[in-house]
Amino acid sequence: MANNYTQIYIQLVFSPFRKCALITSDYEQKLYKCITGIVQNKKHKLLAINGTEDHLHIFLGLNPDQSISDLIADIKRSSSMWINENNFVKGRFEWQKGFGAFSYSRSHIDSVVKYIGNQKEHHKKVSFLDEYRDILRKFNIEFDERYLFSKPTEK
């Protein structure tokens, strides 16, 4: 019987709708546990999860049986349903459309895990949008400012 052997490390980045600061300390750790369960149930290996009020970073070893887009859809759908069922925010919570997905080699695991673990300190100095632009530039990804994550005041 043939086996698949892979080593695919991906950092995912996404934000609540309109980049609103909705991920509060009241439920942040519970949300991370919820998302960890979603990721693990899909047979991916969670390496790090963290963020701030207005975005999340997830670093994982990807199971190639599921596409990145399908995984993100599962995470967003299940976690937003969980947030809404538990009434953690006023009104209806939803994630913004779109995401970032960035690949790393095995030699970068420790540095990416540390970077994600340090998000709150990091964002005392750098905004999420500036960070996101920097990541896109680092990976030589062309982008149009109009299609980056919407700001809280945009519809």
Side-chain angles (χ1 to χ4, degrees):
M1 182 166 139
N3 289 307
N4 296 326
Y5 301 100
T6 63
Q7 182 176 283
I8 307 166
Y9 300 105
I10 304 290
Q11 177 186 194
L12 306 172
V13 182
F14 54 96
S15 175
F17 186 63
R18 295 190 184 147
K19 208 178 78 51
C20 292
L22 297 174
I23 304 169
T24 66
S25 60
D26 296 339
Y27 73 96
E28 173 187 49
Q29 292 303 314
K30 292 176 185 175
L31 173 62
Y32 296 166
K33 287 180 184 177
C34 172
I35 292 173
T36 298
I38 296 163
V39 168
Q40 290 175 340
N41 285 336
K42 297 294 181 178
K43 309 281 190 247
H44 304 281
K45 182 179 180 181
L46 189 88
L47 300 170
I49 183 170
N50 200 7
T52 65
E53 298 88 2
D54 64 359
H55 74 285
L56 287 182
H57 292 258
I58 300 170
F59 188 45
L60 53 82
L62 185 72
N63 173 356
D65 290 338
Q66 183 179 36
S67 72
I68 294 169
S69 294
D70 287 346
L71 173 60
I72 289 283
D74 287 342
I75 291 169
K76 287 181 176 182
R77 180 179 49 256
S78 296
S79 63
S80 60
M81 186 183 316
W82 177 83
I83 290 167
N84 289 321
E85 286 172 354
N86 286 284
N87 298 309
F88 287 124
V89 299
K90 292 180 183 177
R92 184 172 174 263
F93 180 92
E94 61 185 291
W95 295 105
Q96 183 149 329
K97 292 181 182 179
F99 61 88
F102 309 97
S103 61
Y104 292 87
S105 68
R106 182 171 175 76
S107 64
H108 290 103
I109 291 175
D110 289 344
S111 62
V112 176
V113 167
K114 286 177 189 170
Y115 172 77
I116 290 173
N118 195 36
Q119 281 296 292
K120 289 179 183 46
E121 274 304 306
H122 175 70
H123 286 291
K124 288 179 181 177
K125 301 172 191 164
V126 179
S127 75
F128 167 52
L129 285 177
D130 287 341
E131 172 194 49
Y132 196 65
R133 285 183 196 101
D134 289 345
I135 293 171
L136 292 171
R137 288 181 187 117
K138 173 184 169 185
F139 283 88
N140 294 317
I141 298 173
E142 292 184 27
F143 62 94
D144 185 327
E145 284 285 333
R146 296 175 297 173
Y147 303 110
L148 290 183
F149 294 104
S150 301
K151 296 175 185 169
T153 56
E154 295 176 352
K155 292 187 177 185

